[in-house]
Amino acid sequence: MTMNRRTLNTALAAAALGGMLPASVLAQKKLVLGFAQVGAESEWRTANTESIKSSAKEAGIELKFSDAQQKQENQIKAIRSYIAQKVDVIAFSPVVESGWETVLREAKAAKIPVVLTDRSVNTKDDTLYVTFMGSDFVEEGRKAGRWLVEKMKDQKGEVNIVELQGTVGSAPAIDRKKGFEEIIKADPKFKIIRSQTGDFTRAKGKEVMEAFLKADGKKINVLFAHNDDMAIGAIQAIEEAGMKPAKDITIISIDGVKGAFEAMIAGKLNVSVECSPLLGPQLMQAVKDIKAGKPLPKRIVTEEGIFPMEVAAKEFPNRKY
Ligand code: GYE
């Protein structure tokens, strides 16, 4: 006999009422998690999605998954549909920081706990979510800045930097810029001469770098890309312009995905700051803890490092994303 979830639950409830099933069997009812993903814009995001899907399976949690194609309105729609479906927990990675209060209040009114993963929201009301798990993006920006300051410490003249920003209004774009600027502003020789969004994608990274090269060409000493994918796109643009990536232009990016390691091993990318997408296991644990009534810290920060090209070949076999 085939049963859908609802009939199964009704049957279990009826059996329990009739005293046929012990409470422990009922307690095993699968938890349902609704996850509203940003999109599939980067290698990082693909690894993040894979981590969430595989760890839900492993944890025995039923996952409802949606891909918002980097549009906030799609994420809001998905969250509303999870509220309507009365899932146990909603998790999402907010594409931008602002504009979430209304839908988060709807979830709260429906008594569905919300977990933020990877990116945060900028609401003042922190009762609208249980916890935010993910990286410290400001610190990632600082790491990128510190690496550059050290690398250019003997450089006397100006250091002209172009910046490829992530998605406009997203937490990682805002915070990585902030952390990087905080460090480089200590020395006036560092100048960000151009800064534009490449929306975290290879295609846009390439396109915007082409425009930078057309405008400033040989003046550019450094590229700071808010993620590896944009750096990889930009590397193509630099090569097509007849210049040598990582030599004529020093390239710094963030994430530490396999594609970045390959670029470093090929001598085309100088450094990648790590940002781990493997948030799945932590998220599933949080879902279980929330349902078990355990308190969670408001902020769970991911530990991460930095990988210059000199260590890339040695580190490559250890990389999981
Ligand atoms: O760096 C980028 C992705 O939010 C940390 O989003 C994430 C960022 C990551 O598209 O590659």
Side-chain angles (χ1 to χ4, degrees), residues 38-46 48 70 93-95 117-120 135 137 140 166-167 170-173 176 199-201 226-230 254-257 273 275-277 279:
V38 169
E41 74 282 5
S42 63
E43 227 182 296
W44 190 100
R45 189 66 54 197
T46 310
N48 179 245
Q70 285 190 285
S93 183
V95 58
T117 69
D118 157 37
R119 299 182 184 178
S120 188
S135 308
F137 300 136
E140 290 171 352
T167 301
S170 70
R176 286 170 181 170
D199 214 12
F200 281 131
T201 69
H226 289 187
N227 82 342
D228 292 336
D229 285 74
M230 291 189 295
I254 300 183
D255 277 353
V257 296
V273 174
C275 176
S276 175
L279 300 172

Side-chain angles (χ1 to χ4, degrees), residues 179-200:
F180 184 73
E181 284 178 346
E182 182 192 308
I183 300 296
I184 61 160
K185 77 164 187 243
D187 188 336
K189 77 178 175 190
F190 293 109
K191 292 209 161 51
I192 300 183
I193 57 169
R194 281 182 200 272
S195 181
Q196 213 176 298
T197 182
D199 214 12
F200 281 131

Side-chain angles (χ1 to χ4, degrees), residues 173-293:
I174 295 167
D175 292 353
R176 286 170 181 170
K177 181 170 186 50
K178 192 168 151 202
F180 184 73
E181 284 178 346
E182 182 192 308
I183 300 296
I184 61 160
K185 77 164 187 243
D187 188 336
K189 77 178 175 190
F190 293 109
K191 292 209 161 51
I192 300 183
I193 57 169
R194 281 182 200 272
S195 181
Q196 213 176 298
T197 182
D199 214 12
F200 281 131
T201 69
R202 282 188 193 203
K204 271 277 179 62
K206 178 167 189 243
E207 194 185 304
V208 177
M209 190 67 201
E210 277 166 2
F212 286 167
L213 287 163
K214 231 178 233 149
D216 291 313
K218 296 210 159 38
K219 237 177 99 184
I220 304 171
N221 307 115
V222 176
L223 164 66
F224 171 44
H226 289 187
N227 82 342
D228 292 336
D229 285 74
M230 291 189 295
I232 290 165
I235 287 170
Q236 272 183 32
I238 293 168
E239 288 182 320
E240 284 172 19
M243 293 169 84
K244 289 206 170 57
K247 294 187 184 76
D248 298 331
I249 297 177
T250 297
I251 309 176
I252 308 168
S253 67
I254 300 183
D255 277 353
V257 296
K258 282 196 174 139
F261 274 77
E262 280 158 6
M264 287 192 281
I265 292 167
K268 297 179 179 184
L269 172 68
N270 297 83
V271 64
S272 185
V273 174
E274 184 180 35
C275 176
S276 175
L278 307 179
L279 300 172
Q282 243 171 312
L283 172 59
M284 300 315 145
Q285 191 54 49
V287 170
K288 287 183 177 171
D289 288 348
I290 290 167
K291 291 318 277 184

Side-chain angles (χ1 to χ4, degrees), residues 113-135:
V114 173
V115 175
L116 303 177
T117 69
D118 157 37
R119 299 182 184 178
S120 188
V121 298
N122 64 2
T123 172
K124 291 219 165 60
D125 181 0
D126 71 1
T127 67
L128 293 176
Y129 60 92
V130 182
T131 182
F132 161 42
M133 57 177 64
S135 308

